[in-house]
């Protein structure tokens, strides 16, 4: 793959074609399985006639395909994380929000990769989305798991650009609202991660995955770009 070029392809197939340790850092925010619902204690897909305010679309799809069965979603995320750990030399930053459609899977991911998690960062979005039902807590934060295949017993980031005591694990960045999406991914977040957790000089090859679903064939696609820091 060429540097400074965006590739639109299936994310897993793209990563499988890349050699081990071929990038320094990976940053990703996968689909949240937002359209999987609970009705009567059972998981169901969001119906095509559902038109609740603000829920017509989300940041990954204009269709209804962001609703994999929980086990399929969990396995797909594990496959992607395994590939990112294989091809990443240093840190994989995995940004996820816990919602109804992925709660079980995300909690299982935390346990499965416990020995690969160096730190859990909190993205404070400064304000929360109104809960869709009564009795549901509004959430104004998302998790960023800092994963590595290297020794994660300690919590030190050796290339970090922050002094002891000056960088908390809370990153305050407002969410974006663009193109009728509920919350477009803010580019300030990956920029902050790159600037705070990578060397100040030299050439880096971070990998940024941007995800979406293809409504017609339910194919997971991504834009893959190897960037200069």
């Amino acid at each position: 793959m060429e540097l400074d070029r965006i590739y639109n392809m299936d994310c897993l197939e793209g990563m499988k074609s890349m050699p081990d340790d071929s990038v320094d850092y990976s940053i990703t925010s996968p689909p949240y399985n937002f359209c999987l619902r609970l009705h009567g204690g059972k998981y169901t897909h969001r119906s095509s006639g559902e038109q609740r305010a603000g829920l017509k679309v989300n940041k990954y799809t204009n269709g209804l395909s962001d609703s994999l069965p929980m086990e399929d979603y969990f396995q797909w995320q594990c496959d992607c994380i395994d590939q990112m750990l294989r091809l990443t030399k240093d840190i994989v930053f995995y940004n996820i929000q816990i919602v109804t459609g992925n709660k079980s899977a995300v909690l299982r991911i935390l346990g499965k990769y416990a020995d690969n998690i160096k730190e859990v960062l909190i993205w404070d979005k400064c304000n929360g989305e109104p809960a869709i039902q009564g009795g549901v807590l509004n959430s104004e934060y998302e998790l960023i798991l800092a994963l590595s295949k290297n020794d994660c017993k300690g919590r030190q980031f050796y290339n970090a650009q922050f002094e002891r005591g000056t960088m908390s694990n809370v990153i305050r960045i407002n969410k974006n609202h663009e193109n009728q999406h509920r919350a477009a991914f803010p580019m300030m977040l990956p920029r902050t991660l790159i600037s705070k957790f990578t060397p100040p000089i030299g050439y880096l090859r971070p990998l940024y995955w941007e995800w979406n679903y293809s409504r017609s064939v339910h194919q997971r696609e991504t834009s893959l770009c190897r960037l200069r820091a």
Side-chain angles (χ1 to χ4, degrees):
M1 290 184 174
E2 298 180 32
L3 293 174
D4 304 316
R5 181 179 296 274
I6 295 174
Y7 294 86
N8 186 21
M9 60 175 63
D10 179 270
C11 61
L12 271 177
E13 295 307 311
M15 287 190 286
K16 289 177 182 177
S17 69
M18 301 174 66
D20 295 355
D21 297 324
S22 55
V23 298
D24 298 287
Y25 298 86
S26 294
I27 303 173
T28 186
S29 180
Y32 296 166
N33 224 29
F34 189 78
C35 294
L36 195 66
R37 297 285 194 259
L38 270 177
H39 292 291
K42 296 182 179 180
Y43 288 113
T44 63
H45 298 295
R46 174 182 168 194
S47 66
S48 58
E50 187 177 355
Q51 296 292 330
R52 292 176 179 162
L55 297 180
K56 295 180 181 180
V57 297
N58 62 54
K59 65 179 178 179
Y60 300 110
T61 176
N62 291 331
L64 303 171
S65 54
D66 192 14
S67 57
L68 292 175
M70 190 67 71
E71 186 62 32
D72 292 351
Y73 180 84
F74 171 73
Q75 188 56 56
W76 175 43
Q77 291 305 290
C78 290
D79 291 343
C80 291
I81 291 172
D82 288 344
Q83 286 297 320
M84 285 187 286
L85 287 172
R86 178 189 63 79
L87 61 87
T88 305
K89 290 181 182 179
D90 203 332
I91 302 294
V92 174
F93 294 99
Y94 176 85
N95 166 222
I96 193 76
Q97 181 178 6
I98 297 177
V99 298
T100 299
N102 67 22
K103 177 183 173 184
S104 175
V106 171
L107 295 178
R108 290 173 64 190
I109 286 171
L110 288 170
K112 178 179 174 64
Y113 294 97
D115 291 337
N116 297 106
I117 297 176
K118 178 174 283 291
E119 185 61 274
V120 178
L121 308 175
I122 305 298
W123 170 24
D124 182 353
K125 298 182 292 185
C126 303
N127 57 81
E129 291 285 343
I132 62 176
Q133 292 179 314
V136 177
L137 292 171
N138 287 352
S139 176
E140 67 175 42
Y141 73 92
E142 298 189 16
L143 302 178
I144 304 174
L145 306 184
L147 301 124
S148 177
K149 60 175 173 283
N150 303 316
D151 185 7
C152 289
K153 294 184 179 65
R155 300 172 59 201
Q156 183 178 8
F157 292 88
Y158 298 102
N159 294 322
Q161 302 307 303
F162 51 86
E163 299 296 329
R164 177 183 177 185
T166 61
M167 172 69 180
S168 74
N169 67 334
V170 177
I171 302 171
R172 292 182 175 87
I173 297 174
N174 281 296
K175 58 189 175 182
N176 292 343
H177 291 276
E178 300 173 357
N179 303 322
Q180 297 183 337
H181 292 297
R182 299 180 71 243
F185 189 81
M187 288 307 300
M188 181 57 68
L189 184 57
R191 289 172 183 157
T192 299
L193 294 172
I194 291 173
S195 66
K196 295 294 185 182
F197 291 93
T198 65
I201 58 174
Y203 184 74
L204 294 175
R205 292 166 297 175
L207 190 69
Y208 172 58
W209 293 101
E210 182 179 280
W211 309 67
N212 61 68
Y213 281 111
S214 170
R215 183 178 183 181
S216 59
V217 298
H218 298 275
Q219 175 181 342
R220 272 78 86 191
E221 295 180 342
T222 181
S223 298
L224 183 158
C225 187
R226 295 175 69 182
L227 306 169
R228 293 183 185 275

